[in-house]
Amino acid sequence: MGSRMRRKSAVTALDAHLGYWLRFVSNQVSQAFSRKVAARNVSVAEWVILRELFDGESVVPSVLADRMGMTRGGISKLADRLVAKGLVTRTADDEDRRYQALALTAQGRELVPVLARLADENDDEFFGDLSAADRKKIESVMRDIVRRRGLKTVPVE
Amino acid sequence: MGSRMRRKSAVTALDAHLGYWLRFVSNQVSQAFSRKVAARNVSVAEWVILRELFDGESVVPSVLADRMGMTRGGISKLADRLVAKGLVTRTADDEDRRYQALALTAQGRELVPVLARLADENDDEFFGDLSAADRKKIESVMRDIVRRRGLKTVPVE
DNA sequence: TATTGTTATACTCTATAACTATA
DNA sequence: TATAGTTATAGAGTATAACAATA
């Protein structure tokens, strides 16, 4: 933790921090992606939920909140919007009616591959020119940081 | 029912995108930093303005907007808050009174090194364990992406 | 007319906490 | 009492556009 040597100047430049560069690039990536999915009337966080629901039959909000690093309140609002758009359904569990499982509608299921392609295109726009080794290196470093710190928050792609 | 068929090859996993990992880590870094500076009653965007003002005598809002990739309206709101906190002053240019130069107050100037220290600590928490080579590699890749795409800010320095 | 900065509006995301329905 | 989910409120950040003052 403290093994990193630090310069003696009292006020480090903004761009001397790796966090500055990550935020800079990742904000651009997210905003570009946001503009793409907006054409389908979906927000980035909504996309993440849709994608999570695509793999399993259904997912319970509290599990989704854990997985996405959001609060249950946040998931609840997102779910409201997705239900209103006809992309997601809520179904109370028969054995314990506190659990309101979320699942994709047919319309939602059809939309996911379309959005997934936009995600692919967006990532390619920013990182397509990197060498495979560079991409792998960066992903590996990020995974390590996540693992080491036990992070579990938001991927807003 | 035929539409139930999953074409998994068409739908990339969320975590297969580099943008996902950058966002994931960079959100954590920003949120951690946000909690640190909140103790000084400053937001992250406010910190960036304060740091930008620290180097020069004064900076005009439109230049700041360009440099930070924000709109003039956004800068205006931030400037309001900083002025209200006694950290920044507005001064109309004598030769062209449309220009309302922003500058640090004495209090603002004293605060910057304190915040800079928090920024150093935060970056160190997340990236301090990386090898110098890895840090350099990642910074270099990010700079290239910014340069290649002509993204907004002027990486100072 | 063009530019600088301000103001108004709206939406997304985050955070906290009070509230309900169920167990 | 504990848990799952909802609702309310607040704030930051972003985006667009109308607007006033100045040039």
Side-chain angles (χ1 to χ4, degrees):
Chain A
M1 212 67 73
S3 60
R4 180 176 171 188
M5 295 287 285
R6 179 169 293 121
R7 305 206 306 234
K8 290 202 169 155
S9 72
V11 180
T12 317
L14 287 169
D15 69 355
H17 293 131
L18 211 41
Y20 170 92
W21 290 104
L22 288 195
R23 183 163 48 87
F24 199 93
V25 170
S26 113
N27 281 350
Q28 295 294 327
V29 174
S30 290
Q31 284 165 27
F33 183 60
S34 171
R35 283 189 292 272
K36 287 185 178 71
V37 294
R40 295 290 180 161
N41 192 29
V42 167
S43 78
V44 178
E46 286 166 9
W47 150 247
V48 175
I49 288 193
L50 293 175
R51 182 62 189 83
E52 294 280 2
L53 293 180
F54 188 80
D55 288 332
E57 284 307 304
S58 70
V59 181
V60 152
S62 54
V63 169
L64 218 41
D66 256 14
R67 204 180 289 172
M68 294 175 63
M70 294 183 59
T71 61
R72 287 171 299 157
I75 297 289
S76 185
K77 269 200 316 188
L78 286 174
D80 277 351
R81 272 152 45 186
L82 290 168
V83 168
K85 290 174 186 175
L87 300 174
V88 161
T89 58
R90 276 190 178 97
T91 310
D93 187 293
D94 281 338
E95 299 185 354
D96 185 338
R97 300 190 60 78
R98 289 176 301 183
Y99 290 86
Q100 306 273 328
L102 302 177
L104 292 177
T105 62
Q107 189 189 345
R109 187 159 289 277
E110 278 173 19
L111 185 56
V112 169
V114 176
L115 300 175
R117 181 160 313 151
L118 296 179
D120 290 342
E121 286 171 7
N122 197 64
D123 217 63
D124 202 48
E125 266 179 44
F126 284 88
F127 308 111
D129 288 342
L130 268 59
S131 71
D134 282 356
R135 278 204 300 275
K136 194 166 171 68
K137 179 64 186 175
I138 293 172
E139 179 180 327
S140 156
V141 167
M142 296 302 144
R143 279 185 189 271
D144 281 351
I145 291 172
V146 170
R147 183 164 45 237
R148 195 175 336 119
R149 295 187 44 101
L151 298 183
K152 46 170 157 177
T153 292
V154 99
V156 171
E157 179 114 351
Chain B
M1 270 315 169
S3 65
R4 276 249 192 271
M5 247 186 19
R6 305 222 185 123
R7 305 179 312 168
K8 293 208 169 179
S9 60
V11 180
T12 316
L14 286 169
D15 69 356
H17 292 132
L18 210 42
Y20 171 93
W21 290 104
L22 288 194
R23 189 57 173 183
F24 201 101
V25 172
S26 123
N27 280 352
Q28 292 295 324
V29 175
S30 290
Q31 285 166 26
F33 183 59
S34 172
R35 284 190 291 273
K36 288 186 176 72
V37 293
R40 294 291 179 162
N41 193 27
V42 167
S43 77
V44 176
E46 287 167 9
W47 148 247
V48 174
I49 289 192
L50 293 175
R51 182 60 188 83
E52 294 281 1
L53 293 180
F54 188 81
D55 288 331
E57 284 307 303
S58 69
V59 180
V60 151
S62 53
V63 169
L64 219 42
D66 259 11
R67 205 180 287 172
M68 293 175 63
M70 292 182 61
T71 61
R72 288 171 298 157
I75 297 291
S76 187
K77 268 199 318 186
L78 287 173
D80 278 350
R81 271 151 49 184
L82 290 167
V83 168
K85 291 174 186 173
L87 301 173
V88 161
T89 58
R90 277 189 177 98
T91 311
D93 186 293
D94 281 338
E95 299 185 354
D96 186 337
R97 301 190 62 77
R98 288 176 303 183
Y99 291 85
Q100 305 273 328
L102 301 177
L104 291 176
T105 63
Q107 189 190 342
R109 187 159 289 277
E110 278 174 18
L111 184 56
V112 169
V114 176
L115 300 175
R117 170 91 182 168
L118 296 179
D120 290 341
E121 286 171 6
N122 197 63
D123 218 62
D124 203 46
E125 267 179 42
F126 283 89
F127 308 112
D129 288 342
L130 268 58
S131 71
D134 282 355
R135 281 204 301 275
K136 195 172 165 83
K137 179 65 188 175
I138 293 172
E139 179 180 326
S140 156
V141 167
M142 296 303 144
R143 279 188 189 269
D144 282 350
I145 290 172
V146 170
R147 184 164 45 237
R148 193 174 340 119
R149 295 190 43 102
L151 298 182
K152 301 164 189 177
T153 281
V154 214
V156 206
E157 199 250 355

